[in-house]
């Protein structure tokens, strides 16, 4: 059994650097907060952690003197057509991996430390399924790369903070994910967990805001998450949380959202006044024993 971060699809690219100094189109990486909890809601397997992929987008640049192309950003994953066929840079309709990401054609990669390539293995279990208990909480996110540093420090570890905070919500109650949701008045979501083994948590119902920045940062260089909303002069970013009841992982692996059994499909979308980017994220739950 396993849970894999399969990849992303660009529905609409975000507003980019006016001079494309970071590369043509979008250049993005994925981050995923991860927290495995026992039946009492305590973190296990090393506690909350955050996994990060390489940057995907334009890798090559043209030398204007010689006309030759060279790898200006050699550590990037070359994907996308914004800078010309074969040269990378993400625009609407591009995706990674290069097949339909929800199909899972490639063998998942294991992270080394906190770094890993898509498709990225988040969790696996090779023991007796009847021994599974507790919860798995993940916060998959897409970040637009600008200079390799968060535009605002408050955003830097938002996904890891969210899985830790949601883990605390589960631990404070009883009944795992279902019990936590029922305790805060989200009974329909709790019922969904009981039926299908997982739920995409509406974070804004848990916390009025998670990361909020009140200053004007238009034109400021820095990495930023896709999925910000504008509230007056304030930017708010709430990572989406995907929570699984591990005792019901078989139901989560059979659940259908339109992209095949076990494919959990999330959308992250910027407010048009901020960046207008929109991406789809795919997480696959597999029940086949490893």
């Amino acid at each position: 059994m396993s849970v894999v971060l399969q990849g992303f699809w660009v529905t609409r690219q975000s507003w980019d650097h006016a001079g494309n100094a970071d590369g043509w189109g979008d250049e993005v990486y994925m981050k995923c907060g991860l927290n495995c909890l026992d039946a009492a809601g305590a973190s296990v397997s090393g506690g909350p952690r955050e996994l990060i992929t390489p940057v995907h987008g334009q890798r090559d640049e043209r030398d204007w003197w010689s006309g030759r192309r060279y790898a200006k950003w050699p550590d990037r994953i070359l994907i996308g057509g914004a800078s010309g066929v074969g040269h990378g840079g993400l625009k609407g309709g591009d995706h990674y991996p290069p097949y339909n990401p929800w199909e899972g054609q490639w063998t998942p990669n294991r992270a080394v430390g906190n770094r890993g390539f898509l498709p990225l293995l988040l969790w696996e279990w090779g023991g007796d399924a009847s021994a599974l208990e507790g919860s798995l909480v993940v916060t998959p996110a897409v970040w637009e790369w600008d200079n390799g540093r968060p535009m605002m420090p408050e955003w830097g570890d938002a996904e890891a903070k969210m899985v830790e905070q949601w883990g605390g919500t589960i631990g404070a109650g009883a009944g795992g994910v279902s019990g936590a949701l029922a305790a805060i008045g989200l009974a329909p979501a709790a019922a969904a967990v009981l039926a299908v083994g997982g739920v995409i948590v509406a974070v804004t119902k848990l916390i009025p805001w998670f990361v909020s920045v009140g200053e004007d940062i238009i034109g400021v260089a820095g990495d930023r998450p896709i999925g910000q909303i504008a509230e007056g002069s304030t930017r708010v970013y709430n990572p989406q949380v995907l929570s699984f009841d591990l005792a019901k992982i078989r139901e989560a692996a059979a659940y259908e959202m339109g992209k095949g059994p076990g494919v959990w499909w999330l959308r992250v979308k910027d407010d048009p006044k901020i960046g207008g980017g929109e991406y789809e994220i795919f997480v696959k739950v597999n029940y086949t024993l490893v």
Side-chain angles (χ1 to χ4, degrees):
M1 289 164 277
S2 63
V3 177
V4 178
L5 179 60
Q6 296 283 67
F8 62 85
W9 187 286
V10 187
T11 303
R12 181 171 54 250
Q13 75 180 72
S14 67
W15 181 86
D16 198 27
H17 188 286
N20 291 293
D22 59 345
W24 287 87
D26 282 354
E27 277 66 42
V28 306
Y29 55 95
M30 297 198 74
K31 294 172 69 176
C32 189
L34 179 65
N35 200 0
C36 193
L37 309 166
D38 64 17
S43 294
V44 296
S45 302
R49 60 189 300 222
E50 185 174 70
L51 302 180
I52 306 173
T53 74
V55 176
H56 302 75
Q58 184 181 354
R59 186 178 64 195
D60 300 341
E61 183 64 281
R62 184 183 300 278
D63 182 282
W64 293 107
W65 292 102
S66 67
R68 297 177 180 175
R69 301 193 72 89
Y70 67 100
K72 182 177 181 179
W73 301 279
D75 294 332
R76 289 182 180 177
I77 303 295
L78 176 63
I79 194 74
S83 65
V85 177
H87 302 307
L90 295 165
K91 57 179 177 50
D94 289 333
H95 50 87
Y96 193 84
Y99 53 81
N100 290 333
W102 55 87
E103 293 177 351
Q105 296 179 19
W106 289 352
T107 300
N109 298 288
R110 295 178 182 274
V112 177
N114 72 330
R115 303 281 171 165
F117 295 89
L118 294 172
L120 181 59
L121 181 68
L122 302 179
W123 172 88
E124 67 177 348
W125 176 263
D128 188 342
S130 64
L132 274 173
E133 60 179 8
S135 309
L136 179 68
V137 183
V138 298
T139 55
V142 175
W143 280 64
E144 163 69 8
W145 187 93
D146 199 341
N147 62 9
R149 296 184 299 275
M151 185 181 292
M152 299 300 296
E154 296 93 335
W155 292 346
D157 57 353
E159 291 79 19
K161 287 179 180 176
M162 183 56 75
V163 292
E164 183 175 13
Q165 187 158 347
W166 177 229
T169 302
I170 294 174
V177 178
S178 300
L181 290 168
I184 58 176
L186 294 180
V193 176
L194 291 173
V196 303
V199 67
I200 300 172
V201 181
V203 176
T204 52
K205 294 184 179 180
L206 301 177
I207 313 166
W209 55 267
F210 186 67
V211 178
S212 180
V213 179
E215 59 188 275
D216 183 4
I217 54 178
I218 297 295
V220 176
D223 299 4
R224 66 175 189 85
I226 303 294
Q228 302 168 73
I229 61 174
E231 294 185 355
S233 60
T234 299
R235 289 186 177 205
V236 178
Y237 172 54
N238 286 300
Q240 292 195 55
V241 179
L242 182 54
S243 297
F244 297 110
D245 181 341
L246 293 178
K248 294 183 174 294
I249 199 70
R250 185 171 186 173
E251 286 85 344
Y255 185 53
E256 172 68 71
M257 295 182 66
K259 297 295 184 181
V263 177
W264 291 72
W265 179 13
L266 299 83
R267 284 189 176 91
V268 289
K269 184 178 181 180
D270 281 335
D271 189 296
K273 293 181 288 187
I274 293 176
E278 183 176 351
Y279 281 69
E280 298 172 10
I281 299 171
F282 304 96
V283 175
K284 178 70 185 298
V285 180
N286 302 291
Y287 191 72
T288 304
L289 293 179
V290 295

